[in-house]
Amino acid sequence: MTRRACAACTAATVAATLVPLPFAAPAAAQVPAAEAEAPAQARGGEELPVVEHTLENGMRFLILPRDGAPTVSFVVHVAVGGVNEVLGSTGTAHLLEHMLFKGTTTVGTRDPAAEERLFARMDAAHDTLLGELARPQHDSLRAEHLRERIAALEDSARSFTVSNELDLIYSRNGARSLNASTSSEATTYYVELPANRAQLWFTLESDRMENPVFREFYAERDVVMEERRTRLEDSASGRLYEAHLATAFQVHPYGVPVIGYMSDLEVLTRGHVEEYYRRFYGPGNTVVAIVGNLDPETILEWADAYFAHLPPGETPPPVLAREPVQRGERQIEVVYDAQPELTIGWHIPDEFHPDMPAVGMLSSILTGGRSSRLYRRLVVDERLAATVSSSSGPGARYPQLFTIGATPRSPHTTGEVEAAIYDELDRLRRDPPDERELQRVRNQLEASRVRRLGSNLGLAFQLAGSASLYGDWRTTFQLAERYQAVQPEDIRRVVEAYFTRENRTVGTVVPVERAPAAPEEGDDDR
């Protein structure tokens, strides 16, 4: 299958400006900015005619009929991600996201029984390989022979595989935007279909939930390992992202990259990933948002017919780790043959905290567009930096990190950019933004809200994410009103409370110092 870019892989290389409603659709699915002036429907959003339905097994459906194009958007939000893993098996949720595009007992195969027999043989060989590698002085030749045997068995199993069949079925029926993403706290699958093909989604996704087959497991694990190399290990930005998180979060699993550690990926087994799926991917941990040109009664009938018989599954164990209060500035350097980069992070509360609307507004004041403070100063006026951005994360359920990232413009240094950022924060402590500046940000947020209302896929993301995180799909719409109510003193207060020296972690990419070239023969450098 042709793999699509997923959130776990791209988060290391880009930091988007924090916005108040964190469940927006991918940029490609949003309506053009020009449509922001269209009349808003259901002004607050929470008055949208969403039909809520929960099956006996706990699976929640949020159904929103909308006139317009004859299409339907589906978003499946499973509340399990990187924070639900333990050291030794990190990257499981993300690898599982990949595996669920490999098909089922009926999709993607010519002979599932023959495949299963080969799976058992290659898994036995893999268990033997892990036992060999666990020995203090393992036999490298035997280990390589076992790897070759696993690869040969997987090649044999491919003779029974119909490659990319799930994708092909969707594509032949007019699907768009078929993809998935894994984050610290959720795994999300989404697709758009013509309205007259909506039942196909129920057929395919109920089969995928009940009868997945993790074929091509070891080859796909290699794909994920290569993604890690490309996105993290062979990238200055990726290395900085990983090192900075690990330095800022020394106890909480937010410090572990969602894509996992390489040493863990190398030993993940099909059995472990399958058990993780069976335990935590049940209907009881799943929210489905369906938005578009549809009949709610028909959707409800299909939901019951296709999903009601499935067992609920388990709720992931609570994350009990708590990051201790940081008592002093932390610094981390990544030495790499690349241009300098700067990342500064401050610990902030979880998304449920009453200070978060002010933190979100602060992000927009600092980096939200060309008229924002840091962009105007660093990029336009003083030309200290080529880029600057801010974000919060890597999750939302637990105390998180507010991050400002910047790329210095040569010949300026990370130190100059860092000093300018602190100076702007000090200005906000002394003189909070005036009403005109806050109104500019409010206008930006309102335009963003209208764009989300104009996109079926964007709305489906917001409904599913809000219901999963807050328990109610209306909450993120209501949060928009809290953002609009933020006052200048609120901005000054959160800067004073969280943006302190002892609460920050500073990471920089330091270019490798190149040794001076050796003098050519005959040169005299005395």
Side-chain angles (χ1 to χ4, degrees):
M1 189 190 81
T2 302
R3 280 299 302 158
R4 296 159 292 273
C6 60
C9 308
T10 58
T13 58
V14 62
T17 298
L18 180 146
V19 294
L21 303 180
F23 309 111
Q30 295 178 359
V31 298
E35 294 185 28
E37 299 304 321
Q41 49 182 303
R43 178 73 182 174
E46 64 268 27
E47 301 302 323
L48 290 168
V50 175
V51 177
E52 302 181 62
H53 182 63
T54 302
L55 304 180
E56 289 188 7
N57 57 20
M59 192 168 184
R60 297 179 63 188
F61 285 84
L62 304 171
I63 305 160
L64 176 58
R66 304 190 86 193
D67 295 332
T71 62
V72 180
S73 296
F74 298 84
V75 171
V76 180
H77 192 285
V78 186
V80 64
V83 295
N84 305 112
E85 301 164 354
V86 296
L87 294 179
S89 59
T90 62
T92 298
H94 174 243
L95 177 56
L96 178 55
E97 175 220 308
H98 279 237
M99 296 312 305
L100 286 175
F101 285 90
K102 294 297 181 180
T104 68
T105 53
T106 56
V107 174
T109 183
R110 297 183 180 90
D111 190 337
E115 281 186 313
E116 190 62 38
R117 289 190 292 270
L118 287 168
F119 292 163
R121 294 170 61 188
M122 67 182 79
D123 290 347
H126 186 260
D127 289 343
T128 303
L129 171 63
L130 294 184
E132 181 63 42
L133 294 175
R135 296 172 55 194
Q137 295 182 339
H138 68 268
D139 185 334
S140 58
L141 289 177
R142 183 166 186 254
E144 185 59 29
H145 172 74
L146 287 166
R147 291 190 184 97
E148 291 173 354
R149 176 170 174 76
I150 293 167
L153 288 167
E154 200 154 61
D155 282 342
S156 297
R158 286 195 183 94
S159 64
F160 305 109
T161 298
V162 182
S163 182
N164 303 336
E165 189 169 24
L166 180 68
D167 290 57
L168 291 171
I169 294 172
Y170 268 124
S171 297
R172 288 167 181 165
N173 285 275
R176 299 184 306 167
S177 305
L178 176 64
N179 212 331
S181 65
T182 307
S183 67
S184 291
E185 293 153 353
T187 309
T188 308
Y189 301 84
Y190 50 97
V191 69
E192 296 176 283
L193 280 169
N196 62 359
R197 294 290 186 271
Q199 189 173 6
L200 176 67
W201 181 89
F202 290 87
T203 301
L204 292 176
E205 297 305 324
S206 61
D207 185 35
R208 180 153 65 158
M209 180 172 276
E210 185 173 14
N211 305 304
V213 174
F214 298 157
R215 51 179 61 93
E216 299 179 298
F217 177 83
Y218 300 102
E220 196 64 26
R221 191 182 67 176
D222 288 344
V223 169
V224 172
M225 290 163 63
E226 183 58 29
E227 284 183 331
R228 181 187 157 81
R229 292 187 192 97
T230 302
R231 305 289 184 176
L232 294 182
E233 298 177 6
D234 295 341
S235 160
S237 297
R239 288 196 179 198
L240 180 61
Y241 173 84
E242 182 173 38
H244 186 255
L245 274 186
T247 305
F249 293 102
Q250 300 185 346
V251 172
H252 196 274
Y254 276 167
V256 179
V258 172
I259 202 168
Y261 293 124
M262 186 65 82
S263 58
D264 291 350
L265 294 172
E266 289 171 341
V267 299
L268 283 181
T269 67
R270 191 196 323 263
H272 171 78
V273 175
E274 191 165 354
E275 179 189 15
Y276 187 91
Y277 175 82
R278 297 296 179 192
R279 291 182 64 190
F280 303 134
Y281 258 67
N285 203 30
T286 301
V287 177
V288 181
I290 307 174
V291 179
N293 198 317
L294 54 84
D295 172 36
E297 290 301 320
T298 301
I299 296 296
L300 291 175
E301 291 175 6
W302 289 340
D304 288 328
Y306 285 91
F307 290 99
H309 67 284
L310 300 178
E314 302 177 28
T315 300
V319 178
L320 300 178
R322 293 292 180 267
E323 189 67 27
V325 175
Q326 188 168 319
R327 299 297 184 184
E329 182 183 65
R330 299 172 186 166
Q331 297 182 356
I332 182 70
E333 288 186 350
V334 172
V335 179
Y336 202 81
D337 189 10
Q339 295 300 309
E341 292 184 40
L342 171 68
T343 298
I344 312 170
W346 295 264
H347 291 279
I348 58 173
D350 56 56
E351 288 295 333
F352 308 96
H353 195 279
D355 281 347
M356 287 309 293
V359 173
M361 291 288 280
L362 172 65
S363 183
S364 293
I365 288 168
L366 292 174
T367 65
R370 294 180 176 273
S371 59
S372 61
R373 291 192 175 204
L374 287 179
Y375 186 91
R376 192 172 60 246
R377 176 172 178 175
L378 298 180
V379 179
V380 178
D381 295 342
E382 299 181 15
R383 298 181 63 80
L384 295 176
T387 63
V388 63
S389 62
S390 60
S391 62
S392 69
R397 292 183 182 275
Y398 309 100
Q400 54 195 304
L401 207 65
F402 183 101
T403 302
I404 297 176
T407 304
R409 185 191 301 273
S410 182
H412 298 289
T413 66
T414 56
E416 292 176 84
V417 174
E418 185 179 355
I421 291 171
Y422 298 153
D423 184 59
E424 284 300 317
L425 290 170
D426 286 340
R427 283 183 57 203
L428 285 167
R429 286 186 181 92
R430 297 189 304 268
D431 301 304
D434 58 25
E435 184 61 27
R436 180 179 179 182
E437 187 173 13
L438 279 182
Q439 191 57 49
R440 173 186 63 80
V441 175
R442 293 181 187 124
N443 293 342
Q444 290 177 342
L445 299 181
E446 176 63 11
S448 177
R449 184 195 69 81
V450 173
R451 283 195 293 272
R452 271 187 287 272
L453 287 173
S455 163
N456 286 347
L457 187 57
L459 269 175
F461 266 89
Q462 187 166 332
L463 295 174
S466 181
S468 183
L469 178 61
Y470 298 105
D472 190 339
W473 62 265
R474 300 169 184 83
T475 302
T476 52
F477 293 104
Q478 295 163 351
L479 283 174
E481 301 302 319
R482 291 174 54 195
Y483 276 77
Q484 295 287 347
V486 169
Q487 298 300 311
E489 178 57 27
D490 297 320
I491 302 297
R492 191 205 63 77
R493 177 174 49 78
V494 296
V495 172
E496 189 71 32
Y498 305 114
F499 291 77
T500 63
R501 184 179 189 277
E502 61 270 17
N503 189 41
R504 74 187 180 218
T505 300
V506 182
T508 53
V509 171
V510 178
V512 175
E513 292 187 8
R514 293 179 175 83
E520 295 184 9
E521 187 175 347
D523 285 354
D524 190 341
D525 61 350
R526 287 175 296 179

